Amino acid sequence: MRLAIIGAGWAGMAAAVQATRDGHQVTVFEAARTLGGRARAVPGTLPDGREVTLDNGQHILIGAYTDTLRLMREVGVDPQTALLRGPLALRFPDGSGLRLPRLPTPLDAFAGIALARDWPLGARLGLLREALRWQAARFGCAPELSVAQLCQRLAPQVQQELIEPLCVSALNTPAAQASAQVFLRVLQDALFGVAGGSNLLLPRLDLSALFPAAAASWLQQNGASVQPGTRAILQAQGSRWQVNGQSFETVLLATSAPDAARMLMDSASTAPDSIAIKLRTWATSVAALRHEAITTVYAWGDGAALPAPMLALRCTPQAPAQFVFDRSRLGGPAGLLAFVVSASSAEREVLQAQVLQQARAQLGLSLQAVQTVVEKRATFACTPGLQRPPQAIAPGLLACGDYVAGPYPATLEGAVRSGLQAVARLPQTST
């Protein structure tokens, strides 16, 4: 069938690759010039005037991102060279924290907990008991439970040095407000799922090159059309849909949640009543989502370096960054660091100043700000019992994205799997 995909982020490009493989005629429309959506490359300039490629947010992948890694290989990106792989490590600048050994899954998780010498024996045993309890319950819990409630029996040090950093990095929502059900699903896949699932995979390429740009090249080589810099106008046309005057049997809406809702409300004004009601109903469900911001502060210092590619930081309201990355270890210029503030709420200038002070206090580094990127709607707030919008919107119209109904939080893998699930609902024309 003729298929239009609106949005060339990770969900849209994953859907486009799979749909092309399935034999559909695919056209991708993307309003921006740069592919990748909320995980894309952005230009920057160092204090000495050198130009550098940054990202609109510092992302972490993990070994459990099986579909993302598979599609990267499909479009010609080798994860072995494009990603720096290492065991899960949540180490702080003073050397304390958790690091998993190189052992088969799930022995690496159990051994890492048992050998975490910075935690008292009672704290380690308590975490092991809870992990076994979660495993026995098949990583399920009441949907109204928060992560803080799920982990209330754990020692405060374990909550502060493991649960909070894991929760805010995976769900971008503080533990007191985050869904325990979704958190357990992440733990199941990462710590107790595929071999190497807990491994941290840090991008050595910019986020556009890591998958979306390579996918665009692959799509064009395989007969699909990718049109960056093209804003899409969606209109209902009988049993089909029009995008910018072209007729399609099916449309996949792969934009951000606010953009999707806005586009559907515009389309509803000219659609037949039976379709308009569906468009407005779906858009209303999207409007109920609460979004969280992620701020990435890029800073540079002559000779600045970290003892590891990534470190966890002690996070307080005055020291808001949870993680820092040494970009020189990831293909970037020497001296460039990236500080990540998940679930951020303060103003850009305030966060930037706080992070630079945090770097002095916790890393002993005097840095200059390079660029501070604030994605105000980076993710949805992954709260207990959250009702996410369904994939089906109207006949011939589907949505895909990390915010659409599914078991995963707003991650790259969640976006990719949503795109694949949307394509799986289409009639298959070839194998």
Side-chain angles (χ1 to χ4, degrees), residues 128-291:
L128 286 170
R129 280 195 299 269
E130 288 301 294
L132 290 170
R133 186 178 289 117
W134 297 335
Q135 189 178 31
R138 297 184 178 181
F139 296 92
C141 69
E144 67 274 9
L145 208 62
S146 73
V147 172
Q149 292 169 326
L150 175 76
C151 301
Q152 61 185 345
R153 289 187 290 265
L154 297 178
Q157 187 176 359
V158 174
Q159 294 185 43
Q160 294 164 8
E161 296 186 0
L162 176 65
I163 301 303
E164 278 284 359
L166 275 181
C167 181
V168 78
S169 62
L171 276 64
N172 197 41
T173 307
Q177 305 165 23
S179 167
Q181 194 173 57
V182 176
F183 184 68
L184 284 174
R185 180 57 186 264
V186 172
L187 291 185
Q188 180 182 18
D189 285 2
L191 300 182
F192 300 90
V194 299
S198 65
N199 287 176
L200 293 180
L201 309 178
L202 305 182
R204 287 184 167 123
L205 304 177
D206 68 71
L207 292 176
S208 291
L210 191 62
F211 172 65
S217 296
W218 184 93
L219 287 167
Q220 290 165 338
Q221 291 166 13
N222 286 272
S225 173
V226 180
Q227 301 178 18
T230 305
R231 187 170 298 278
I233 299 174
L234 176 69
Q235 292 179 305
Q237 183 193 41
S239 61
R240 297 167 72 90
W241 293 87
Q242 278 194 348
V243 179
N244 293 358
Q246 302 176 54
S247 181
F248 295 92
E249 293 159 273
T250 301
V251 174
L252 299 188
L253 202 52
T255 66
S256 67
D259 287 345
R262 194 160 42 244
M263 183 175 293
L264 293 185
M265 292 302 286
D266 290 343
S267 300
S269 63
T270 59
D273 289 344
S274 60
I275 298 296
I277 291 172
K278 296 179 184 295
L279 302 186
R280 292 190 178 106
T281 300
W282 193 91
T284 300
S285 71
V286 170
L289 295 175
R290 182 168 63 85
H291 291 86

